[in-house]
Amino acid sequence: MTSVPTPIPSRTQYVLEEIKRRILTGRLTPGQALVETDLAAQFGVSKTPVREALKTLAGTGLVVMSQYKGVTVRMVDADMAREVQDVRLLLEPEALRRTVRRGASLDAARDALARADEATDTAERSLSNREFHRALYMPCGNPLLGRMLDEVRDQAALVSAVAWAADPSWEREASEHREILRLALAKDADGAARALHAHIASFVRRAFPGAGLDADLETQAPRAAQEPRAAQEPREVPEAQNQKSEDGQA
């Protein structure tokens, strides 16, 4: 009986994942030049899969392509950290709230958290942490919201890798992840969203004190979680005001 050959992984995908792994473990440092010929020789491939992998990584924000400097690993500074975390603070807690309210499965988040606890290096931990956050926001019921958060996922991982290199704080973040998941599993949508908001804000504040997160984003929990239910419900419109609206005078 003839056996079916195992598909060979795409060379581009292999190069892509290996470069990403090296960036997230610090083997390739922010600002370091990525030379196609050197990388092709290291991976035993032609320059074509390397070039395609670098284009993809540029699209996710992990590397920067310049006409004059070539390709380099993206620099991480307070401004970059602020931009990435601002987006997350605006979108991620709301996505988690919707996931919990929909009663979506959180098994993938639980599994990712277990893998992060068992990780033996920074890259594995970073990958598992990204999977944990993605498992919280992707079942939110709004695919566009999920894709928007996916766009900053690699950049957030790079920010974390640089911060961990200076101050390994993943044990604290792991504890915060467990609390977020506990609240989500308990169907406390607002509590989970607040815990996630605090988790993101406190990380960038500790790791990049000069990031200067917007005061409203840094200190306030998501609006829907703060406001009393009565404030979120439609108010009764006085009869006179209703009449104005009907007459076209409002």
Side-chain angles (χ1 to χ4, degrees), residues 187-201:
K187 309 300 183 186
D188 184 353
D190 290 341
R194 284 194 297 269
L196 177 57
H197 186 279
H199 166 69
I200 297 170

Side-chain angles (χ1 to χ4, degrees), residues 34-103:
L34 301 175
V35 182
E36 287 182 11
T37 52
D38 292 348
L39 292 170
Q42 291 176 35
F43 298 134
V45 299
S46 68
K47 290 196 297 183
T48 299
V50 174
R51 187 178 302 119
E52 293 304 312
L54 292 176
K55 286 180 182 178
T56 300
L57 291 170
T60 64
L62 279 184
V63 305
V64 176
M65 290 184 162
S66 167
Q67 181 178 352
Y68 304 104
K69 295 182 179 180
V71 184
T72 57
V73 179
R74 182 168 184 176
M75 294 292 293
V76 176
D77 57 18
D79 287 342
M80 185 267 200
R82 174 181 50 76
E83 291 170 4
V84 171
Q85 306 298 24
D86 272 356
V87 172
R88 296 183 65 203
L89 284 169
L90 285 166
L91 301 180
E92 207 167 321
E94 177 58 26
L96 173 57
R97 180 185 292 105
R98 295 183 180 200
T99 293
V100 176
R101 287 181 176 170
R102 293 181 72 235

Side-chain angles (χ1 to χ4, degrees), residues 12-161:
T12 299
Q13 188 64 29
Y14 162 71
V15 172
L16 170 67
E17 293 302 327
E18 185 58 30
I19 294 174
K20 181 186 294 188
R21 182 179 183 85
R22 293 184 182 190
I23 291 173
L24 296 181
T25 56
R27 288 182 62 188
L28 294 172
T29 57
Q32 183 172 341
L34 301 175
V35 182
E36 287 182 11
T37 52
D38 292 348
L39 292 170
Q42 291 176 35
F43 298 134
V45 299
S46 68
K47 290 196 297 183
T48 299
V50 174
R51 187 178 302 119
E52 293 304 312
L54 292 176
K55 286 180 182 178
T56 300
L57 291 170
T60 64
L62 279 184
V63 305
V64 176
M65 290 184 162
S66 167
Q67 181 178 352
Y68 304 104
K69 295 182 179 180
V71 184
T72 57
V73 179
R74 182 168 184 176
M75 294 292 293
V76 176
D77 57 18
D79 287 342
M80 185 267 200
R82 174 181 50 76
E83 291 170 4
V84 171
Q85 306 298 24
D86 272 356
V87 172
R88 296 183 65 203
L89 284 169
L90 285 166
L91 301 180
E92 207 167 321
E94 177 58 26
L96 173 57
R97 180 185 292 105
R98 295 183 180 200
T99 293
V100 176
R101 287 181 176 170
R102 293 181 72 235
S105 170
L106 293 169
D107 288 347
R110 198 198 322 258
D111 292 344
L113 189 57
R115 286 194 299 275
D117 287 340
E118 297 167 0
T120 58
D121 61 40
T122 303
E124 288 182 33
R125 188 175 293 109
S126 177
L127 179 60
S128 298
N129 282 343
R130 286 191 304 150
E131 290 174 349
F132 172 76
H133 280 273
R134 191 171 194 268
L136 295 179
Y137 66 69
M138 278 307 288
C140 69
N142 184 330
L144 177 58
L145 179 54
R147 289 196 298 272
M148 291 172 71
L149 283 164
D150 269 354
E151 287 184 8
V152 299
R153 202 160 58 114
D154 283 344
Q155 296 174 58
L158 179 58
V159 170
S160 295

